[in-house]
Amino acid sequence: MESFQWLKDLFTTTDSVAHIALLYAVVIAIGVYLGKIKVFGISLGVTFVLFAGIVAGHIGFTAPIPILNFVQDFGLILFVFMIGLQVGPGFFENFGTQGVKLNALSASAILLNILVMFACYYIFFDTSNPISLPMMVGTLYGAVTNTPGLGAANEALQSIFPDGAPQIASAYACAYPLGVLGIIGATIIVRYLCKVRLEKEEERLKAMEETSVDKKPYKMHVEVTNQYLEGKTLLQVHDFLNRDFVVSRIVHDGEVSIPNRNTVFHLGDQMLIVCAEADHEAIVAFIGPMIDIDFEQQDQPLVSKRILVTNPSMNGKSLASLHFSSVHGVNVTRVTRHGIDLFASAGLPLQVGDKIMVVGPEDAVDRVANKMGNSIRRLNAPNIATIFVGIFLGLIFGSLPIAIPGMPVPVKLGLAGGPLIVAILIGRYGYKIHLVTYTTTSANMMLREIGLVLFLASVGIKAGANFFETVIQGEGLLFVLTGFLITIIPILIIGPIARIRYKFNYFTIAGMIAGTYTDPPALAYANSICSKEAPALGYSTVYPLSMFLRIFTAQIVVLFFCG
């Protein structure tokens, strides 16, 4: 047996680096594999790492508390920062007319979650016990399946209980599984309460797609028949019409050319125009009718090419400032960003990772490609400096004390809120300070998942020592019950309001509910019953603000009411 002493030491010498690395490897691997098991088509995903950590902590497979605290906090920082970096570019664009309504409904549901939590606290728990309310906060974030909120609440509690904060992860773990089921179940109940028929909802979506006029690029061929335009330049026509459009090719006297701002219009000229779909009727009415012509068959060495923007010096530069037509002799007709086609308006700033459609002579297009970078290899290289510059700024911002009258301690955005806000701002405006914020989706997901599993493993290991006493001998069943109420009551209120008062499509509502609870399994369910993109649109519209509010309100509730 002595020959295996080294193996025993590896598992029992808690302060060795090898033991700590082994602990995290075992807990995370087991948790990830078990999280893939589906029950009634639903899995808990990486959140099962928390339960694996609880078991490890309960049997004494643990590590020094300072190490666990560091890994927990670093994982949380990495997780929320990568979320902010991902949602940042679209954060402020989600507040159109429909977006404002969806986000207002989502914020109302978040407020209702908190109100139901307090109602359950006063009805079911001993309010004289100083740890009852913190444990209810843990129940809240398990019920709404929001791990970053748990991290933010944990951090705020440490400032109030310096000698040892309550292990609210126990309550979180009690409420989480039924929270996942409750979100999907309540979404289904809303369907029956509002007498929704899925086939009719699909038909409504199809009809809306056919009649809606959006901002997608619209390509058309027109002929100049307006006598007023004879002898006018492209710039004069553009300014008079006051609509954004790009003339990518023009045929004059049988010769195809790439126009620039000084190109003169003549009656009978034929041109290929790209504009926003909402503007195409006005442009046709002013210039002339649409015609059937194939520019590709003209005997000219003109090409269309998608070019990838990978040159960091292009980050943040507007299309107008790059003088594509006047200097390079080409036109940019549209820009694709995060899989979405954008109209190439003059003021649109380019970002690393954009794809631009360039039309012009082949040699000129190749020169533009070299200028833009057009290197997938360069794009795949991680911009790791931006991540750590952002984390640095986020930690400083999160540490700023904000004194509020009546608060026991100054409010701080902390390790979760500070990096999240800075990441959102960098993701949206980083190009203005020459920060390249592009990260491939796979790289973002990898860093985010690493941060999440490190956080969950640490929280679980620390909570494991007293978990079973809390659940079995304590108020575990009460956490499960109150968590279920916190989950379903706001959905059963907000869902019908969204349907009856605001007439939202049911699939959009299902996506909005999933985004409000930041719950991927609920989104997967919504996608499974709809062939369109309405659930994903509802989810992505409210997700950024919901994630921010979950993290921010966690700290506000703890600092205001638990101090």
Side-chain angles (χ1 to χ4, degrees):
M1 292 296 292
E2 291 184 4
S3 60
F4 292 99
Q5 184 62 38
W6 62 272
L7 184 60
K8 180 180 177 182
D9 292 342
L10 182 61
F11 278 88
T12 57
T13 308
T14 59
D15 58 352
S16 75
V17 174
H19 170 85
I20 295 167
L22 180 73
L23 168 64
Y24 278 96
V26 169
V27 168
I28 292 171
I30 292 175
V32 169
Y33 279 119
L34 291 177
K36 293 180 179 180
I37 298 174
K38 292 185 176 181
V39 179
F40 302 111
I42 300 171
S43 66
L44 296 183
V46 296
T47 307
F48 215 104
V49 171
L50 174 70
F51 297 95
I54 287 172
V55 173
H58 179 68
I59 64 175
F61 189 28
T62 185
I65 293 298
I67 299 293
L68 294 174
N69 286 338
F70 167 75
V71 177
Q72 170 186 315
D73 292 342
F74 179 75
L76 177 65
I77 292 167
L78 191 61
F79 177 55
V80 299
F81 186 84
M82 297 313 297
I83 285 177
L85 210 57
Q86 180 199 28
V87 305
F91 187 83
F92 299 99
E93 277 71 27
N94 287 332
F95 296 98
T97 303
Q98 295 292 84
V100 167
K101 292 179 182 177
L102 283 173
N103 276 288
L105 290 166
S106 177
S108 300
I110 291 170
L111 178 61
L112 282 172
N113 287 135
I114 296 172
L115 292 178
V116 174
M117 178 205 75
F118 276 109
C120 291
Y121 166 65
Y122 285 110
I123 293 171
F124 296 109
F125 290 87
D126 179 8
T127 57
S128 64
N129 187 341
I131 70 167
S132 290
L133 185 54
M135 295 301 284
M136 278 304 298
V137 174
T139 304
L140 165 66
Y141 283 94
V144 301
T145 70
N146 187 266
T147 308
L150 172 68
N154 251 331
E155 186 199 354
L157 282 169
Q158 288 171 10
S159 66
I160 295 176
F161 297 93
D163 296 330
Q167 293 296 328
I168 64 173
S170 300
Y172 174 96
C174 289
Y176 188 95
L178 210 54
V180 175
L181 295 174
I183 296 167
I184 297 173
T187 303
I188 295 172
I189 292 173
V190 169
R191 169 183 160 190
Y192 289 102
L193 286 177
C194 299
K195 301 178 180 177
V196 171
R197 292 180 59 187
L198 298 185
E199 313 83 54
K200 286 193 173 182
E201 295 302 288
E202 287 267 8
E203 291 173 5
R204 285 180 60 199
L205 285 179
K206 186 177 180 180
M208 288 172 62
E209 286 182 357
E210 292 174 351
T211 59
S212 66
V213 178
D214 54 27
K215 294 294 183 180
K216 294 187 298 185
Y218 187 87
K219 183 169 69 173
M220 59 186 175
H221 303 90
V222 301
E223 181 175 341
V224 179
T225 59
N226 184 352
Q227 293 185 356
Y228 170 80
L229 302 184
E230 176 66 37
K232 299 294 191 298
T233 65
L234 175 57
L235 179 62
Q236 289 173 318
V237 174
H238 189 279
D239 289 345
F240 184 85
L241 190 55
N242 197 28
R243 305 286 176 116
D244 262 332
F245 65 92
V246 174
V247 180
S248 65
R249 304 180 197 181
I250 189 168
V251 178
H252 177 67
D253 290 339
E255 182 180 343
V256 181
S257 63
I258 299 295
N260 58 41
R261 58 192 297 170
N262 298 316
T263 297
V264 177
F265 280 29
H266 298 284
L267 290 175
D269 284 352
Q270 299 170 333
M271 58 191 68
L272 173 59
I273 293 179
V274 181
C275 62
E277 189 170 351
D279 294 333
H280 87 276
E281 291 183 356
I283 293 171
V284 167
F286 183 70
I287 295 178
M290 288 193 286
I291 57 173
D292 186 16
I293 182 174
D294 188 357
F295 283 99
E296 302 300 331
Q297 299 301 317
Q298 301 292 331
D299 187 20
Q300 292 288 331
L302 301 177
V303 298
S304 299
K305 185 176 183 180
R306 283 189 179 274
I307 294 173
L308 197 59
V309 180
T310 60
N311 183 351
S313 65
M314 295 296 106
N315 204 46
K317 290 190 175 180
S318 68
L319 293 175
S321 70
L322 293 169
H323 307 293
F324 283 106
S325 61
S326 59
V327 174
H328 300 285
V330 301
N331 280 329
V332 176
T333 59
R334 63 181 178 272
V335 177
T336 304
R337 179 175 299 162
H338 300 299
I340 300 173
D341 280 343
L342 306 173
F343 173 63
S345 61
L348 180 69
L350 293 178
Q351 294 185 14
V352 170
D354 287 350
K355 291 180 180 178
I356 58 176
M357 177 63 80
V358 179
V359 180
E362 188 170 3
D363 58 342
V365 171
D366 288 341
R367 286 195 298 271
V368 170
N370 289 332
K371 183 180 180 69
M372 295 296 107
N374 202 35
S375 170
I376 294 178
R377 179 179 297 179
R378 180 185 292 182
L379 195 62
N380 286 338
N383 297 296
I384 198 165
T386 297
I387 294 173
F388 284 97
V389 167
I391 289 175
F392 168 76
L393 295 174
L395 292 174
I396 291 177
F397 185 54
S399 300
L400 289 174
I402 305 171
I404 298 178
M407 292 283 289
V409 294
V411 175
K412 296 180 182 179
L413 292 173
L415 300 179
L420 177 69
I421 293 176
V422 168
I424 289 173
L425 294 175
I426 286 179
R428 180 64 180 86
Y429 300 109
Y431 65 86
K432 293 189 175 183
I433 55 175
H434 307 293
L435 282 177
V436 177
T437 59
Y438 178 83
T439 305
T440 62
T441 302
S442 58
N444 184 293
M445 287 295 295
M446 174 65 77
L447 290 173
R448 190 197 313 179
E449 292 294 287
I450 288 174
L452 178 58
V453 295
L454 289 176
F455 170 79
L456 289 172
S458 303
V459 170
I461 293 167
K462 288 199 300 181
N466 302 312
F467 177 77
F468 291 99
E469 289 80 0
T470 303
V471 174
I472 298 172
Q473 300 174 8
E475 299 170 319
L477 292 178
L478 214 47
F479 294 147
V480 174
L481 170 63
T482 55
F484 187 67
L485 296 176
I486 293 169
T487 300
I488 66 169
I489 290 176
I491 296 175
L492 297 180
I493 294 173
I494 296 299
I497 290 175
R499 176 67 177 182
I500 298 168
R501 173 68 177 84
Y502 294 104
K503 311 298 182 185
F504 278 111
N505 185 279
Y506 174 73
F507 299 123
T508 302
I509 295 171
M512 181 265 291
I513 291 170
T516 300
Y517 284 73
T518 63
D519 188 57
L523 176 62
Y525 164 75
N527 282 332
S528 71
I529 60 173
C530 180
S531 63
K532 308 292 184 183
E533 296 182 354
L537 182 62
Y539 183 92
S540 61
T541 299
V542 304
Y543 179 89
L545 182 64
S546 297
M547 182 63 77
F548 171 75
L549 289 177
R550 293 292 187 194
I551 292 173
F552 187 69
T553 55
Q555 298 182 86
I556 294 299
V557 168
V558 169
L559 293 175
F560 261 103
F561 299 101
C562 298

